[in-house]
Amino acid sequence: MPTLISRRTLLRDAVVLCDALTLVASFAAAYFYVAIILHRSFLPSVSNVGLITLIVPIWLICLSEFGFYTAPINVNTPGRELLARLLRAHFVAGLILLAVMYLTRSQAVSRLFLQVFLIIGFAMLTAEKLALRTYLNRAQRRAPLQRPKALLITAVATAGHYVKIVSERASMMTDVVGILSIGAPNGHVGAGSFPPILGVAEDLPVVLRNRVVDEVVVASPMNYAALEQLSRWCSIRGILLRIMVEVPRPVLGAWGADYLGDGAFMLSLSTVPQNAYYLAFKRSVDVIGAAVGLIACAVAYLCYGQRLRRESGASALFRQQRVGWNGRRFTLYKFRTMRADSEQLKAALDERNEMNGPIFKLKDDPRVTPTGRKLRRRHLDELPQFWNVLKGDMSLVGTRPPTDDETVAYLEHHQRRLSIKPGLTGLWQLNGNGAVKDFEDVVKLDCEYIDNWSLWLDAKIVARTVTKVMRGDAW
């Protein structure tokens, strides 16, 4: 008996295959229309293959990003919502294709062909999605003999919730043949096609002998002894036993489950990236980037270290305690771009703060030394932070690490920006220098990064940071 996860995986892979075949068919239809009907010769056969191998992955990735593969397929999704998402995915994929072709200077490709493909492709993908939804909807209603038969054990009052979930999730494809009540049954759950009440939970052995049942689903809390007895009855007969656990719908993030052994499971609500492979790759990039950055830091120190010491009257390196991942304190390193008594003078400058909220930024800060201003213009003062990245206190990309006095003034929702490692650069850093002056907007940018984190997003932020550094318009 396949698990719910394997059913979803099988259905998802089938949808991905259907989408890929639809794209190939759309490409062929567009080629036939332009080359045969309009008598336009525009692509050699080798280029055809190259273009379709570019189109298929771009479209599949975009469809995945817009939720066509990640979420369980809901057969009751309104057609208008489905088409709106498909249109957005198709539009983004088209832009990416045009950008790639522009960057690779693919001049041999006909613009007319691309226009025809985009039109035919959207029409055929729309037809495929609607046909797939119609098929799954009918498959749900037909209830063929090979579909799993489920026996539901639950409090009668809550049975309707599980039945509704089964009716909406195409990947479950299950027929609920009856209900065993936890406690004395108190009447009918519903009318018409609603599953009948066959007794109470203790009647399970009798029901299993007299009914075709492939799986037993416990959808309401039960005491440990009763659950142990149910598991024994199901195990003896080789019947699949499922236990549905309901948790609060998260405002942010998603729930996950881990098996700890000895019948214990850990449910986790995560609002930050948890993919171990992606995070390990991110850390590897951090280490490599930090090693390269520290070489640049050494060069900058040799060039500017003596001047920084002379102008500031203190060491060329500035050390300050910052707040990192989930409140961890660490020592942040920067080139000293201000006078040695800058921290004592800060209180007198608070009224000139150009930011709204618990964060300080002042464009014409009188504490900044001439050489310090030169370094700040290209963010060279932050080069020593590559040491923090190498140590693991920070990442190349993340949120800005706040000071202790800033976090004291944080509201509850501000704390979320501390849920990942701080970074040398990030969305706010790219939009700083007066463009974002309200701390609430800073938090929104940080949360946007956390919610949409990917290796590709990190790569884009690093690329934009390099461009910003080269412009030299910081302060």
Side-chain angles (χ1 to χ4, degrees), residues 397 454-464:
V397 183
S454 67
L455 296 174
W456 175 240
L457 178 59
D458 274 6
K460 289 192 294 184
I461 291 175
V462 169
R464 288 179 58 192

Side-chain angles (χ1 to χ4, degrees), residues 252-298:
L252 296 167
W255 288 95
D258 297 291
Y259 180 58
L260 305 181
D262 296 327
F265 287 82
M266 178 74 75
L267 290 177
S268 307
L269 174 61
S270 173
T271 59
V272 296
Q274 296 289 338
N275 189 301
Y277 293 104
Y278 289 172
L279 293 176
F281 186 84
K282 179 179 172 70
R283 178 57 186 159
S284 300
V285 173
D286 285 345
V287 171
I288 296 172
V292 175
L294 286 174
I295 296 175
C297 178

Side-chain angles (χ1 to χ4, degrees), residues 242-458:
R242 303 188 193 276
I243 301 175
M244 188 175 81
V245 179
E246 288 198 76
V247 293
R249 178 176 295 179
V251 178
L252 296 167
W255 288 95
D258 297 291
Y259 180 58
L260 305 181
D262 296 327
F265 287 82
M266 178 74 75
L267 290 177
S268 307
L269 174 61
S270 173
T271 59
V272 296
Q274 296 289 338
N275 189 301
Y277 293 104
Y278 289 172
L279 293 176
F281 186 84
K282 179 179 172 70
R283 178 57 186 159
S284 300
V285 173
D286 285 345
V287 171
I288 296 172
V292 175
L294 286 174
I295 296 175
C297 178
V299 174
Y301 183 82
L302 292 175
C303 295
Y304 298 104
Q306 187 173 354
R307 274 185 278 177
L308 291 173
R309 285 193 297 270
R310 183 174 63 252
E311 293 176 3
S312 65
S315 169
L317 284 178
F318 174 72
R319 300 170 179 83
Q320 186 181 46
Q321 181 169 281
R322 294 291 182 101
V323 182
W325 179 33
N326 286 332
R328 290 171 173 82
R329 266 64 178 176
F330 69 96
T331 301
L332 179 137
Y333 297 91
K334 297 180 68 174
F335 282 130
R336 189 182 297 275
T337 58
M338 293 185 177
R339 294 166 44 178
D341 57 351
S342 60
E343 291 300 304
Q344 291 74 24
L345 298 175
K346 180 175 176 293
L349 298 172
D350 283 341
E351 61 182 14
R352 296 172 55 187
N353 184 14
E354 298 181 8
M355 298 292 293
N356 298 321
I359 185 172
F360 183 87
K361 198 167 182 66
L362 179 61
K363 182 175 182 179
D364 297 318
D365 196 324
R367 301 172 297 168
V368 179
T369 62
T371 302
R373 197 171 302 279
K374 181 178 180 180
L375 292 179
R376 285 186 167 208
R377 191 170 298 119
R378 296 190 182 276
H379 298 276
L380 298 181
D381 60 311
E382 299 178 5
L383 286 175
Q385 291 177 39
F386 280 111
W387 177 246
N388 292 115
V389 174
L390 187 64
K391 289 172 57 183
D393 298 326
M394 296 175 62
S395 178
L396 291 178
V397 183
T399 60
R400 172 189 171 273
T403 58
D404 280 311
D405 60 321
E406 290 174 353
T407 57
V408 170
Y410 273 15
L411 301 178
E412 185 175 356
H413 66 281
H414 296 161
Q415 299 291 336
R416 188 161 182 251
R417 65 189 306 268
L418 302 177
S419 61
I420 62 170
K421 282 185 181 181
L424 266 172
T425 185
L427 291 180
W428 176 72
Q429 290 92 322
L430 290 177
N431 292 277
N433 292 353
V436 180
K437 293 188 176 182
D438 195 304
F439 183 67
E440 292 297 333
D441 293 330
V442 175
V443 175
K444 287 180 183 178
L445 286 171
D446 289 338
C447 291
E448 178 184 338
Y449 171 76
I450 295 171
D451 294 335
N452 299 287
W453 178 81
S454 67
L455 296 174
W456 175 240
L457 178 59
D458 274 6

